[in-house]
Amino acid sequence: MPQGGEVHPCVGFWMGYFRCMLRNRVSLYFVLGDGDGDGGEGGLSLVAELISCLEAVLEEKSAALAFPGLRQVFMLNNTCAIMRRAVGSDLEPFLPPEWIRAREERMERYIERYMDASWAPVVSRLDRGGRTKPSAISRRWDPLGEFYSALENACSAQRGWKVPDPVLRGLLQETVVESVVPAYRQYLEDHPEVQVAVGRTAEELEQQLSDLFEG
């Protein structure tokens, strides 16, 4: 089981097997009862069902990963890998018209769930600071310190996480940056009295987050 959330080896094996199976589609159609050899609904449903079975196995395997966010990264990587192996290959003609869009929407949900699990709790530390002048009671809280601590914990936990596909990796990095950095920059603007630690400018934070998912 890949511990960094990367593509499971079974994806390449089974997607290759499905393609090999279709190369012998005359025999396959005979088994399906499609004597015309054009695939028909039987061929379409079979390929989609086989891939769905593979996806279900991957969902089960994701439960073995320790972090909720990592499970989403794992499913994101593997869904992307399945699409890369299906689209433009000899599998694509045997997939329903809505298949690609359904996987794209699924990947969007994986990204949303990853952000909710991994970064929403980090950004929420800044919400406690508000935009008003700190009172004697509120000075006991240290939203910025809590944010730094949560940030380091998140980055440390994700240090070994990998997104092999460069386009997907760039998208995920951009999503994290656009969620965390503006909130941090806004907090600093709203609280000019706080002392920003060395190496903690918004630009340096952006660079730190841009190094995620490299493994």
Side-chain angles (χ1 to χ4, degrees):
M1 181 67 182
Q3 295 303 304
E6 56 266 47
V7 179
H8 196 284
C10 74
V11 170
F13 173 82
W14 283 110
M15 293 299 288
Y17 180 82
F18 298 156
R19 294 181 64 184
C20 180
M21 179 187 68
L22 288 178
R23 294 191 188 102
N24 299 287
R25 54 182 172 269
V26 173
S27 299
L28 175 64
Y29 297 153
F30 178 78
V31 172
L32 292 172
D34 183 3
D36 295 334
D38 61 357
E41 294 184 0
L44 287 173
S45 62
L46 177 64
V47 173
E49 287 173 11
L50 288 172
I51 294 178
S52 293
C53 288
L54 172 59
E55 292 168 332
V57 170
L58 292 168
E59 284 280 4
E60 292 180 2
K61 290 184 177 297
S62 72
L65 296 170
F67 298 97
L70 181 56
R71 295 170 202 153
Q72 304 307 315
V73 171
F74 174 77
M75 291 307 303
L76 180 65
N77 278 329
N78 283 275
T79 302
C80 178
I82 289 172
M83 285 189 61
R84 293 284 185 270
R85 287 167 170 80
V87 177
S89 76
D90 44 6
L91 288 174
E92 186 173 1
F94 295 88
L95 294 170
E98 70 279 3
W99 188 89
I100 295 175
R101 182 56 190 160
R103 268 63 192 175
E104 291 173 343
E105 292 175 350
R106 188 177 297 176
M107 290 171 66
E108 291 172 1
R109 290 195 296 272
Y110 288 140
I111 292 176
E112 291 174 1
R113 292 170 186 168
Y114 160 75
M115 294 299 298
D116 288 343
S118 299
W119 293 105
V122 177
V123 176
S124 69
R125 300 301 199 279
L126 297 175
D127 294 339
R128 295 181 61 183
R131 298 192 179 188
T132 60
K133 186 176 181 179
S135 65
I137 295 178
S138 66
R139 288 193 188 97
R140 299 175 185 174
W141 295 330
D142 182 12
L144 198 57
E146 291 183 6
F147 170 77
Y148 289 151
S149 177
L151 174 72
E152 287 308 313
N153 288 339
C155 289
S156 177
Q158 299 181 47
R159 188 162 291 126
W161 299 9
K162 300 178 183 179
V163 178
D165 184 87
V167 175
L168 185 59
R169 182 171 63 247
L171 173 62
L172 206 52
Q173 290 169 338
E174 182 180 358
T175 302
V176 174
V177 167
E178 291 181 350
S179 173
V180 178
V181 175
Y184 179 62
R185 183 178 285 114
Q186 186 64 57
Y187 181 89
L188 296 181
E189 291 176 359
D190 293 340
H191 298 273
E193 75 281 357
V194 300
Q195 185 71 33
V196 180
V198 176
R200 292 297 190 181
T201 66
E203 291 72 21
E204 288 167 320
L205 175 59
E206 180 174 350
Q207 181 58 54
Q208 180 181 2
L209 297 176
S210 297
D211 292 335
L212 291 171
F213 314 116
E214 300 287 350

